[in-house]
Amino acid sequence: QVQLVESGGGLVQTGGSLRLSCAASGRTFSRYDMGWFRQAPGKEREFVGTISQSGGFTNYAAAVKGRFTISRDNAKSTVYLQMNSLKPEDTAVYYCAAGVFSTQASSYAYWGQGTQVTVSS
């Protein structure tokens, strides 16, 4: 079992940057592909990006490609989401998840509690 804790959210102006972190407990972190999802008020949870176990493969939603970057440090059991050129429409609660390399939330068995990102215009 994996427990995930996100951090790094906050309030930022349009065009700004934030880096989210997701720390995992346990010694099996490197066995999981990791995903980031987000959910804005009144909307369904949506895929942001995913990274393979070794970090060698990534996949991003079209809405964030070129602005967001996912990385991981297996020695620290942590996955990161670097968000640049933020827009108001990026405002959401961001979740990290552990599971299988996929754009589908159902492919991820373990989820963090989420961290709020608010982008002001």
Side-chain angles (χ1 to χ4, degrees):
Q1 191 166 353
V2 178
Q3 293 183 326
L4 304 172
V5 179
E6 300 97 336
S7 61
L11 174 64
V12 64
Q13 291 185 335
T14 296
S17 298
L18 280 176
R19 188 176 82 154
L20 306 183
S21 299
C22 173
S25 65
R27 293 175 286 182
T28 59
F29 176 75
S30 61
R31 298 180 184 177
Y32 294 94
D33 301 315
M34 298 297 296
W36 284 97
F37 290 77
R38 65 187 182 186
Q39 188 166 19
K43 295 186 177 181
E44 294 186 353
R45 190 170 298 189
E46 66 173 357
F47 169 76
V48 173
T50 184
I51 188 166
S52 62
Q53 295 171 26
S54 66
F57 296 96
T58 55
N59 186 31
Y60 298 94
V64 307
K65 191 173 293 185
R67 300 188 297 123
F68 290 11
T69 302
I70 298 175
S71 61
R72 66 189 295 165
D73 185 337
N74 285 344
K76 296 182 178 180
S77 296
T78 301
V79 62
Y80 305 97
L81 179 65
Q82 177 67 45
M83 305 185 294
N84 299 327
S85 302
L86 283 161
K87 306 174 182 180
E89 50 264 44
D90 295 319
T91 295
V93 177
Y94 283 71
Y95 299 89
C96 69
V100 176
F101 195 88
S102 171
T103 63
Q104 302 301 309
S106 59
S107 296
Y108 297 86
Y110 304 104
W111 291 81
Q113 82 290 348
T115 186
Q116 176 72 46
V117 172
T118 303
V119 184
S120 63
S121 58

